[in-house]
Amino acid sequence: MSQYVPAMWHDTIPIPDPPSPPAEVAAEAPVVPVAPAARLVVTSAPGDDPAIVAIITAAAAEYGADPALMLRIMRCESRLDPDATNRTSGAAGLGQHLPQYWAARAAAIGMAGASPYNPDANARVTAWMLSTQGVAPWAASRSCWSR
């Protein structure tokens, strides 16, 4: 399913099509489709855990976030380690969410009680935040992920 990209030494991973909105949502607002070329592949770096990359790309598709940007941010924040913890701030998981905000963020997407160390929950919260707030929550690490 992956292919070799000679100039970059990365695997390319297909991104699933985003799910269709429920009928009542589709009737209320038109959905602007994303051009298929915009969601063909996400580049995975050497050493990335394919299962974690798949979780991140699925979460990005679910919330309409840019999966390549999510991967870059999460590589800088946690090195894609779902168990990462910042010793100074206590930020946790893939997207390095601060403990004082985690419970409300998880509840906002229907995952109340989920641990920030749960890769699916963390990726989904990160995708939701990226799609609703942009990159502002990760501005401190911009010099790393914006390259």
Side-chain angles (χ1 to χ4, degrees):
M1 187 167 240
S2 62
Q3 69 182 38
Y4 178 70
V5 179
M8 300 174 68
W9 297 9
H10 298 308
D11 290 331
T12 55
I13 300 171
I15 300 171
D17 286 332
S20 298
E24 61 274 5
V25 173
E28 292 174 13
V31 175
V32 179
V34 176
R39 53 182 154 77
L40 288 179
V41 293
V42 169
T43 303
S44 174
D48 285 354
D49 179 341
I52 296 296
V53 173
I55 288 168
I56 293 167
T57 57
E62 181 179 355
Y63 289 94
D66 178 347
L69 177 60
M70 272 186 66
L71 278 167
R72 288 194 316 269
I73 289 171
M74 290 178 159
R75 276 190 201 107
C76 291
E77 293 290 336
S78 67
R79 294 186 176 169
L80 298 187
D81 178 1
D83 296 320
T85 302
N86 182 302
R87 288 181 276 155
T88 304
S89 68
L94 293 169
Q96 289 293 284
H97 293 276
L98 293 169
Q100 62 265 38
Y101 303 120
W102 174 256
R105 290 172 178 173
I109 64 161
M111 296 192 79
S115 168
Y117 298 105
N118 173 321
D120 181 56
N122 199 295
R124 290 178 69 204
V125 167
T126 301
W128 169 70
M129 289 178 61
L130 196 55
S131 68
T132 59
Q133 300 175 35
V135 297
W138 298 277
S141 62
R142 180 183 297 270
S143 64
C144 175
W145 54 258
S146 65
R147 299 181 221 174

